[in-house]
Amino acid sequence: NAGVTQTPKFQVLKTGQSMTLQCAQDMNHEYMSWYRQDPGMGLRLIHYSVGAGITDQGEVPNGYNVSRSTTEDFPLRLLSAAPSQTSVYFCASSWELNTEAFFGQGTRLTVV
Amino acid sequence: RKEVEQDPGPFNVPEGATVAFNCTYSNSASQSFFWYRQDCRKEPKLLMSVYSSGNEDGRFTAQLNRASQYISLLIRDSKLSDSATYLCSEKVTFGTGTKLQVIP
């Protein structure tokens, strides 16, 4: 099993550019989520989904969009990149809200 | 107040020492707690779940104190390989992590 796969692993964007971070899981998990991790801030929840077709905002959703058209995929879109979005992004999945999370390897994003 | 809080450390301990981390939470109705380990520039990985009766896995012990609303992680006989950041979570909310450095 591949688990949770994130692409790309590294990305440099210019301010104002848009891009999509991909996340796929092969464990048939219902719950998927996106976090950003910044020094001293820990993991902060951006958006999450409790199943295909259902998404909701987390703690820091501004500047990001998500969709969940299938159980397997949960892409994160940056609409107009800003330097404040420079961070490490992790996608995670779990059977449900109360169970352990499995993380992807992360995407290191730099916005210049 | 943050929902889940941890002392960021770093905790510098000698090999063989016992070290404990606490993690406080604000929601008294919380049911699901976990400890994760995160190595430098890697993703977090589950270390252990925290059960209400406490649980042990080798050198690691996790406990839940509902009265004071905190969970703890105890590491006995620390190894160099235990050096990492330890994150607690209540469902999908994570603490900032506690950095542990085990020194020879």
Side-chain angles (χ1 to χ4, degrees):
Chain A
N1 272 350
V4 180
T5 304
Q6 274 184 250
T7 55
K9 287 188 170 53
F10 301 93
Q11 184 70 50
V12 179
L13 289 178
K14 294 183 178 179
T15 297
Q17 286 185 313
S18 62
M19 79 160 293
T20 299
L21 279 62
Q22 301 292 342
C23 176
Q25 52 92 7
D26 61 1
M27 297 174 281
N28 204 31
H29 285 169
E30 288 296 324
Y31 185 87
M32 296 187 74
S33 53
W34 276 101
Y35 293 88
R36 60 178 290 173
Q37 187 174 38
D38 303 291
M41 302 293 289
L43 287 163
R44 291 186 291 169
L45 185 64
I46 303 172
H47 285 284
Y48 66 96
S49 170
V50 298
I54 306 169
T55 64
D56 208 344
Q57 296 181 349
E59 180 186 355
V60 288
N62 292 341
Y64 308 95
N65 271 358
V66 291
S67 60
R68 184 93 180 271
S69 56
T70 67
T71 299
E72 294 77 21
D73 299 299
F74 191 44
L76 178 72
R77 297 183 189 84
L78 278 70
L79 309 172
S80 177
S84 60
Q85 293 179 303
T86 293
S87 187
V88 180
Y89 291 84
F90 288 103
C91 177
S93 74
S94 56
W95 288 110
E96 54 184 36
L97 189 62
N98 295 327
T99 58
E100 68 172 285
F102 295 82
F103 286 85
Q105 291 183 309
T107 297
R108 294 186 176 274
L109 175 68
T110 302
V111 182
V112 298
Chain B
R1 180 185 175 186
K2 287 177 69 83
E3 293 181 40
V4 177
E5 292 196 65
Q6 290 181 257
D7 181 342
F11 283 57
N12 297 313
V13 302
E15 264 187 296
T18 295
V19 61
F21 311 131
N22 284 343
C23 174
T24 59
Y25 60 93
S26 59
N27 183 357
S28 59
S30 297
Q31 299 284 342
S32 302
F33 301 95
F34 304 93
W35 283 103
Y36 292 81
R37 171 189 169 130
Q38 186 175 24
D39 292 301
C40 188
R41 302 180 73 84
K42 298 286 189 181
E43 73 274 22
K45 292 183 179 178
L46 181 73
L47 178 65
M48 57 198 306
S49 305
V50 184
Y51 302 126
S52 54
S53 56
N55 47 300
E56 189 174 305
D57 183 2
R59 297 181 293 109
F60 299 84
T61 300
Q63 291 190 313
L64 168 62
N65 185 316
R66 286 202 181 277
S68 301
Q69 291 185 210
Y70 73 88
I71 62 172
S72 63
L73 177 67
L74 182 78
I75 306 175
R76 290 180 296 278
D77 188 22
S78 298
K79 313 290 185 190
L80 295 176
S81 57
D82 293 333
S83 298
T85 297
Y86 292 84
L87 299 158
C88 64
S89 79
E90 186 275 317
K91 292 184 187 176
V92 299
T93 302
F94 286 78
T96 55
T98 298
K99 187 172 183 179
L100 172 66
Q101 185 70 46
V102 181
I103 52 182

